[in-house]
Amino acid sequence: MHMPDLKEARIRTNKEVLTKKASNLKSNKFKNKKYFLKTYGCQMNVHDSEEIKGILENLGFVNTNILEEADIVVLNTCAIRENAHDKMFGFLGRVKHLKKAKPELLIAIGGCMPEQESIANLLKEKYPFVDIVFGTHNINDLGKMILENNHKQEIEVYSIEGDIYEGMDYVRDSKYSAWVNIMYGCDKFCTYCIVPYTRGKQRSRKMEDILNEIKELKENNYQEITLLGQNVNAYGKDLNLNYDFATLLEETAKIGIARIRFVTSHPWDFTDKMLEVISKYPNIMPYIHLPLQSGSNNILRLMGRRYTKEEYLTLFNKIKAKIPNVSITTDIIVGFPNETEEDFEETMDVVNKCQFDSAFTFIYSPREGTPAALIKDNIPLEVKEKRLQILNKKINEYSLMNNQKYLNKTVKVLLIGESEKDQNKLYGYTETMKLVNVIAPKSDIGKIINVKITDAKSFSLDGEKVIFINN
Ligand code: 5AD
Ligand code: SF4
């Protein structure tokens, strides 16, 4: 048994990060047994789940979306805010009943939640029916843990960062658009954020390994890849080699895959060289997610964000000027401790100046073990909720306004699949990452087609396939 330790997780050692081959353990033990996998949280978790699916399918499991049918339930959890916590424990309540009726059911919990001491302890003391608890650093061990489990709870969660694994047997969600990890962990330590603890020290993959993965994806007909990291701009800084994110981006563009995206960018490491590369290559998409968090210099300082409102605006304007038609989205937190009305007004001022294409907005949620959790949370919930409401109203107005600019225009859309809401339509994304519901034949799924936009809403566009373009 290995329990996590938040103090240990904070330490950044000089321990060399090794690159290892993924174990890809294969067995027939669970042939045709069923797995139910539930994923919470960010794209990093979504992509980790593709690795988990690979591990499960290598053991013989097949996927089911029906919880009651499952022989193993795996939860890939998120720890970023309190509501993620509540969701996981709510779900666990349902699974407990299932296990009573079906004692041979295996239950495994991984992701960011068990990386927190208090959660791992809670699982140990109050949730003995959970068979396997694993962390973000040892997903590679999951196959072995499942094979060896005898329904006695096993907790293996490490606080110190893991090594980098290559050659995982991913089972990818899409045949057309793929996630590609370029780095793990984060060294930014924004004061509110749990990620540097749950995911550990920044570790970049070697450029050669990343490029090989992308070449293989291209050979397999992928149209789009998204380079993934907590802070992609800092890519390579831990490697002591002579390349950085701009180099990686340029080398990726040269491979010639149709669409390249990347998330997430921190304003701090955004270089001019990156902008040069983005504007030079048409296959690097004009879409940038640039978290603001707050528009107030006081709050930015308390958050440990290392930029001012003015610096953010300068960078924002530079990106807009350099990349024509770029869409920029953001993340904003309201109700951080000590946030005054004036501080909130500063955030609204940036929102009004930037008129973001869209934004993820959150109420601040103290995370145990982070520096911000030590500051007295002195903003009443009603005030936080009111601010969120005001903010969301503005964000939605600007989203709609930006989307309306697309009306009657013809844009390129990568079609991903059938629309869930309307079976006669397909859905896909513009180069600028706008969701579009399109009338087009199903045989177009996986292709980039021209679409004329016929309607614009706050969160999506409607359009129809264009065969000949006149404009
Ligand atoms: N409370 C609220 N929101 C948070 N985020 C990260 N940590 C917290 C927290 N403790 C938000 C940030 C980040 C996004 C992924 O989640 O805006 O960019
Ligand atoms: Fe992703 Fe952050 Fe949630 Fe971890 S805590 S799963 S990194 S969003």
Side-chain angles (χ1 to χ4, degrees):
M1 174 158 42
H2 238 110
M3 298 297 278
D5 176 336
L6 276 174
K7 281 198 199 81
E8 211 175 64
R10 191 178 302 143
I11 298 169
R12 293 300 185 254
T13 64
N14 289 329
K15 181 179 107 48
E16 192 191 353
V17 176
L18 302 173
T19 300
K20 296 179 175 168
K21 174 91 187 72
S23 44
N24 295 336
L25 215 59
K26 295 198 173 55
S27 162
N28 272 331
K29 182 167 174 191
F30 297 99
K31 195 153 195 260
N32 295 331
K33 296 272 183 202
K34 294 188 172 147
Y35 72 89
F36 179 96
L37 170 64
K38 195 161 173 66
T39 309
Y40 301 89
C42 65
Q43 293 103 333
M44 197 63 76
N45 258 19
V46 171
H47 187 39
D48 281 351
S49 281
E50 296 184 326
E51 181 181 348
I52 293 172
K53 279 186 206 165
I55 291 171
L56 295 168
E57 296 194 13
N58 273 341
L59 299 184
F61 286 107
V62 291
N63 183 230
T64 177
N65 293 325
I66 304 166
L67 180 62
E68 290 71 21
E69 267 185 17
D71 299 290
I72 185 168
V73 175
V74 184
L75 304 185
N76 190 8
T77 63
C78 170
I80 199 112
R81 282 172 294 275
E82 194 61 23
N83 57 356
H85 172 285
D86 298 345
K87 273 193 227 157
M88 182 194 99
F89 282 103
F91 192 79
L92 219 45
R94 275 175 71 194
V95 180
K96 185 179 178 180
H97 290 293
L98 279 182
K99 181 121 182 175
K100 272 205 183 122
K102 193 175 178 183
E104 70 281 10
L105 174 70
L106 279 170
I107 300 170
I109 295 189
C112 286
M113 284 277 269
E115 285 289 341
Q116 304 172 99
E117 259 166 84
S118 57
I119 302 296
N121 283 325
L122 198 62
L123 289 171
K124 187 171 154 211
E125 269 138 41
K126 300 249 168 73
Y127 295 81
F129 62 94
V130 174
D131 303 286
I132 294 167
V133 183
F134 62 105
T136 58
H137 301 302
N138 60 331
I139 299 175
N140 185 62
D141 294 336
L142 180 62
K144 188 163 170 275
M145 289 176 82
I146 295 173
L147 279 176
E148 290 174 0
N149 190 273
N150 54 6
H151 290 283
K152 257 212 213 119
Q153 188 176 72
E154 194 189 350
I155 301 185
E156 285 295 326
V157 182
Y158 304 98
S159 302
I160 298 289
E161 67 280 356
D163 290 316
I164 290 183
Y165 285 89
E166 291 294 341
M168 281 84 112
D169 289 339
Y170 290 115
V171 173
R172 296 186 188 268
D173 293 334
S174 163
K175 289 200 284 252
Y176 319 110
S177 177
W179 304 107
V180 176
N181 270 131
I182 65 167
M183 66 211 293
Y184 302 92
C186 178
D187 285 343
K188 279 282 176 284
F189 286 101
C190 300
T191 58
Y192 51 81
C193 188
I194 193 77
V195 174
Y197 308 83
T198 60
R199 291 198 173 258
K201 175 171 109 171
Q202 173 174 319
R203 289 101 70 208
S204 299
R205 283 177 77 192
K206 302 225 166 64
M207 184 154 73
E208 188 190 330
D209 293 330
I210 300 169
L211 296 177
N212 283 338
E213 184 179 343
I214 297 169
K215 281 177 198 154
E216 201 180 309
L217 288 165
K218 181 166 184 269
E219 277 159 25
N220 286 315
N221 242 342
Y222 275 85
Q223 301 291 315
E224 179 176 85
I225 55 127
T226 303
L227 305 175
L228 203 54
Q230 298 300 341
N231 172 24
V232 292
N233 311 4
Y235 168 76
K237 288 192 170 177
D238 50 303
L239 287 175
N240 293 324
L241 292 169
N242 58 347
Y243 53 75
D244 57 11
F245 184 60
T247 326
L248 174 68
L249 207 48
E250 179 150 33
E251 292 306 311
T252 302
K254 284 187 200 155
I255 291 175
I257 204 146
R259 287 182 163 199
I260 298 156
R261 302 187 185 281
F262 53 90
V263 281
T264 289
S265 293
H266 189 297
W268 171 252
D269 295 303
F270 213 106
T271 62
D272 287 351
K273 202 168 141 208
M274 272 174 66
L275 272 181
E276 286 298 327
V277 174
I278 298 167
S279 56
K280 182 170 161 195
Y281 290 90
N283 58 344
I284 303 179
M285 295 297 99
Y287 163 70
I288 288 167
H289 185 64
L290 194 69
L292 166 69
Q293 311 301 4
S294 169
S296 147
N297 286 336
N298 290 336
I299 299 299
L300 285 170
R301 201 174 316 112
L302 287 176
M303 288 177 163
R305 289 292 288 176
R306 311 184 207 193
Y307 55 82
T308 60
K309 172 189 180 184
E310 293 71 26
E311 283 163 344
Y312 184 94
L313 287 171
T314 304
L315 175 63
F316 182 95
N317 291 327
K318 201 152 77 172
I319 296 171
K320 281 267 171 186
K322 188 85 188 169
I323 308 170
N325 188 34
V326 68
S327 102
I328 304 183
T329 58
T330 199
D331 291 344
I332 297 171
I333 299 175
V334 298
F336 192 80
N338 294 329
E339 186 189 65
T340 60
E341 256 337 288
E342 290 72 37
D343 291 321
F344 177 63
E345 285 306 318
E346 292 283 308
T347 298
M348 292 306 287
D349 184 44
V350 179
V351 168
N352 288 324
K353 288 197 164 96
C354 294
Q355 308 187 344
F356 295 106
D357 280 83
S358 79
F360 296 105
T361 56
F362 312 101
I363 285 181
Y364 167 70
S365 168
R367 306 284 70 210
E368 196 187 330
T370 60
L374 301 174
I375 316 174
K376 192 169 178 293
D377 190 358
N378 53 0
I379 317 289
L381 185 62
E382 309 86 75
V383 174
K384 295 183 191 191
E385 280 172 348
K386 186 84 200 138
R387 287 182 189 163
L388 186 70
Q389 216 179 27
I390 296 170
L391 174 64
N392 282 344
K393 192 163 170 282
K394 262 286 166 240
I395 292 289
N396 292 345
E397 270 174 41
Y398 288 126
S399 294
L400 181 61
M401 186 193 89
N402 283 307
N403 280 353
Q404 279 170 342
K405 292 181 193 154
Y406 286 72
L407 271 177
N408 299 318
K409 294 236 167 75
T410 298
V411 289
K412 290 200 179 331
V413 175
L414 169 58
L415 293 172
I416 299 290
E418 288 174 35
S419 165
E420 266 176 34
K421 281 196 197 128
D422 183 345
Q423 290 193 334
N424 298 316
K425 287 187 175 176
L426 305 179
Y427 79 95
Y429 293 90
T430 64
E431 297 196 325
T432 50
M433 201 61 190
K434 307 271 179 196
L435 172 65
V436 195
N437 290 304
V438 187
I439 301 172
K442 289 198 172 57
S443 54
D444 278 348
I445 294 176
K447 293 185 187 154
I448 296 171
I449 63 161
N450 287 310
V451 172
K452 183 164 179 187
I453 303 301
T454 52
D455 196 10
K457 301 168 206 145
S458 273
F459 303 107
S460 67
L461 302 169
D462 286 329
E464 51 200 41
K465 180 177 176 173
V466 183
I467 317 270
F468 301 105
I469 311 172
N470 298 319
N471 57 352

